[in-house]
Amino acid sequence: MVDKETQIKILLYGNAFHFACETLGVKNMYDHSYSEVFTVSKEEVLAYTAVHGLPHNERTGKEDRNEGFHFYEEDGEWVTFFRERGHIYDEKKFKDSEPAHRYIVETWLKLSGTGLF
């Protein structure tokens, strides 16, 4: 069993698919479940990021043209959005950091593709 801190780091910073395949010794996850590798809960990931912060390398700004999920803090307000094909979708603004933190972590876990949210 892989320790919980390593699991959380993989979910936040790594490639969950590659890690799961490597851990299970398989080429794909077709006949396996991510729960065979990842045993952490959403609450444990939230608690970890409350202490260690959100992934800094993933923070961007409105000017970032990369596609995908973006989040940043500006003037005490958190902003999140998805950019796809040059368009911004589902932009959200949070004045309170706690709901922003929860939304960002939950979205991050959904995007990991593991179904562990």
Side-chain angles (χ1 to χ4, degrees):
M1 168 97 57
V2 178
D3 67 275
K4 291 187 183 249
E5 185 172 354
T6 298
Q7 292 178 48
I8 291 169
K9 287 178 179 178
I10 294 297
L11 290 169
L12 293 175
Y13 307 103
N15 182 323
F17 172 77
H18 177 73
F19 182 78
C21 288
E22 187 176 280
T23 300
L24 296 173
V26 297
K27 290 184 180 181
N28 62 55
M29 293 299 290
Y30 185 73
D31 293 322
H32 298 278
S33 170
Y34 283 97
S35 64
E36 295 174 60
V37 177
F38 296 100
T39 60
V40 294
S41 68
K42 174 176 60 177
E43 287 71 28
E44 289 171 310
V45 177
L46 283 164
Y48 178 89
T49 56
V51 172
H52 299 282
L54 294 167
H56 295 291
N57 59 330
E58 298 302 329
R59 293 181 189 194
T60 62
K62 201 75 160 220
E63 67 284 347
D64 188 325
R65 298 293 177 216
N66 290 326
E67 293 194 351
F69 180 61
H70 298 264
F71 61 92
Y72 61 95
E73 184 180 20
E74 184 174 75
D75 299 326
E77 181 175 72
W78 283 92
V79 179
T80 67
F81 63 92
F82 290 88
R83 182 182 299 281
E84 184 176 339
R85 296 183 180 152
H87 297 285
I88 292 177
Y89 299 96
D90 201 23
E91 182 175 13
K92 297 187 184 309
K93 295 183 179 185
F94 300 88
K95 294 202 180 288
D96 186 351
S97 63
E98 190 173 320
H101 180 132
R102 179 172 283 282
Y103 177 76
I104 291 166
V105 169
E106 288 175 352
T107 301
W108 206 256
L109 290 175
K110 288 176 185 176
L111 292 172
S112 73
T114 61
L116 300 174
F117 50 91

